[in-house]
Amino acid sequence: MEGETAERNADLTSQSSIEIKIVQSRSEKVALAKAFLSPWLQFFADDPLFSTVDAYRTKEGEKNLEALLEHVLKNDDNPCVYAWDVNKNQVSGFIVQNTYAVDDVITDTTPVKQYNWSETASSDIDKINDFVVKMGNQFNLFSQLGAQKVLLMRYVNVAREYRGQGIMGRLVATCLSEFQKQQRGHEAILAGCSNYYVHRKCLRLGMKLLFELDYSEMDNYKKMADYQTHSKLRLMALQHKG
């Protein structure tokens, strides 16, 4: 109860200066790339799964991730939800979404491999890809959901200085609300929760656990930041009411 009360109080605290915004067109999203960059780089540095790639925290790695950000924003028409600090005029968090259809083949977790990486970095990235593909092969999400097309909250992060203020809950709640309004043919919305705290937030907002896989099944899981806390990759789902 105390934890839930603290989360509700944090939600109220973040209301004053943080606005939740939605942008959908590719051109508008690309125009926001520079504003997204700092929390985007923090996502790859801090996320439990991606923290196993040391190269993501190097200058060369950050250049590749900046190119990836622009690629992601300009190659998808799904809504991007972000938090904007009206006092500091900066992005404080975001959720970038992608569409997945039943005929899509799961080959890797990100187009990041198209950039130049060292042999060690490529190996670390491949280990993440192999782990996610393993999860996809073990669990047929489309069969479990009875769906042909789903929306995935793929990149989810709140900037370091804004964490603990309830912003993540507002971002996820906005995505879920907009998903229920949409008429784009998505039958479910998913959240791949590599972070335990995002998983808790999704549960609180009504999403259900579809399946999970322990990080110990990934080759280099011991490099992960705070493995004991996060422990598993979880896939959460909420089906469309229509």
Side-chain angles (χ1 to χ4, degrees), residues 193-218:
C193 299
S194 51
N195 182 310
Y196 172 73
Y197 302 108
V198 177
H199 158 67
R200 282 183 54 198
K201 189 66 65 175
C202 289
L203 279 176
R204 179 184 163 198
L205 292 169
M207 300 187 79
K208 306 297 182 184
L209 178 66
L210 199 59
F211 43 76
E212 60 187 10
L213 190 63
D214 198 287
Y215 282 134
S216 63
E217 297 195 37
M218 187 171 72

Side-chain angles (χ1 to χ4, degrees), residues 128-207:
I128 295 175
N129 292 347
D130 291 344
F131 178 71
V132 175
V133 170
K134 180 178 181 179
M135 187 177 193
N137 290 336
Q138 283 190 18
F139 306 100
N140 189 325
L141 71 92
F142 291 101
S143 177
Q144 290 195 38
L145 291 169
Q148 299 292 312
K149 181 180 175 183
V150 299
L151 184 64
L152 174 65
M153 291 186 275
R154 187 169 186 178
Y155 302 100
V156 181
N157 189 47
V158 171
R160 291 171 187 147
E161 66 181 283
Y162 295 95
R163 292 172 189 169
Q165 298 180 34
I167 295 172
M168 178 61 69
R170 295 176 63 193
L171 289 168
V172 173
T174 300
C175 284
L176 299 183
S177 174
E178 290 299 311
F179 162 72
Q180 295 295 1
K181 297 175 187 176
Q182 60 96 14
Q183 300 294 328
R184 298 169 60 85
H186 298 108
E187 298 156 274
I189 185 169
L190 310 178
C193 299
S194 51
N195 182 310
Y196 172 73
Y197 302 108
V198 177
H199 158 67
R200 282 183 54 198
K201 189 66 65 175
C202 289
L203 279 176
R204 179 184 163 198
L205 292 169
M207 300 187 79

Side-chain angles (χ1 to χ4, degrees), residues 217-235:
E217 297 195 37
M218 187 171 72
D219 285 348
N220 60 345
Y221 77 95
K222 290 185 179 179
K223 292 179 62 179
M224 184 176 296
D226 200 4
Y227 160 72
Q228 295 298 331
T229 296
H230 302 288
S231 73
K232 298 177 182 181
L233 176 62
R234 300 171 174 90
L235 189 65

